Amino acid sequence: MGESLLTAADLVGASGGELGLRASVTEPAGVAPAVIAEAEIVPGWARFPGDGVAVLPTAGLHRFAGDGGWRWRVQPVPAGIAAGSEVVARLGADAGSAFVLAHGVREDGSRPLEVAIERVVRDGDAVVITTELPPGYVGAPVLIVQADATGEVSPYCLGLVRPGVGEHPVATFDRIRAVLPATPGDV
């Protein structure tokens, strides 16, 4: 499986949409367009609404960038910190801390990187951030710090924020991993 972008399924519209690029993730400066039509990226988004996630293999985007004389970079989530089912299972009904890294939306339209420290709980199979988050946080990664069975403390990327009212479900990496093999691969 190749590298992929992940976001909340609700953020990815029907075919014919656009992908906005931040200048801070492209080089050289000023060469990449601000927006790319989804149709220009092959393979495109695979949507898994039941799991709350949309997956975009980056192979097509890297090809598109190379053809345009620019490149882009992502910050991958290493397999070692992507939360597995054992990490999710250790979450309980008692709220624990979670860190959400998002590009919030300011009144002037700017999208600065923000960190929100919130509470996360597991209720049966559902993992939930227990408060309403500001605009721009849906699709953002959720990180936790947790001790494993041996007492070793490690950071984990739990998953990503899904839309919600009053609270936000989290699309967890144990479920995200389950859909990745079905996603078009790196060609």
Side-chain angles (χ1 to χ4, degrees):
M1 182 66 197
E3 177 184 80
S4 297
L5 293 181
L6 303 173
T7 194
D10 298 70
L11 294 180
V12 177
S15 286
E18 297 177 328
L19 178 66
L21 292 177
R22 274 192 248 316
S24 62
V25 298
T26 65
E27 21 185 68
V31 177
V35 175
I36 300 171
E38 183 179 327
E40 296 185 72
I41 305 167
V42 178
W45 287 102
R47 296 158 182 84
F48 301 92
D51 295 300
V53 67
V55 179
L56 176 65
T58 60
L61 190 50
H62 285 303
R63 276 192 297 275
F64 180 83
D67 291 348
W70 58 279
R71 61 190 173 284
W72 74 296
R73 61 192 180 285
V74 295
Q75 179 59 53
V77 175
I81 71 163
S85 57
E86 70 286 351
V87 172
V88 175
R90 285 193 297 265
L91 293 172
D94 294 332
S97 293
F99 307 90
V100 182
L101 302 176
H103 287 278
V105 179
R106 299 259 170 94
E107 286 184 23
D108 65 1
S110 63
R111 305 274 323 263
L113 182 61
E114 300 175 350
V115 177
I117 302 171
E118 300 297 345
R119 308 299 281 166
V120 65
V121 298
R122 183 172 56 89
D123 182 14
D125 288 340
V127 174
V128 180
I129 293 173
T130 62
T131 190
E132 183 78 25
L133 292 169
Y137 280 60
V138 171
V142 179
L143 297 118
I144 61 171
V145 176
Q146 189 182 80
D148 65 18
T150 66
E152 230 12 77
V153 176
S154 299
Y156 296 99
C157 185
L158 186 58
L160 55 89
V161 177
R162 295 179 63 187
V165 176
E167 61 184 23
H168 291 271
V170 175
T172 56
F173 260 109
D174 59 335
R175 291 188 178 172
I176 292 169
R177 279 187 179 120
V179 301
L180 288 178
T183 304
D186 195 358
V187 243

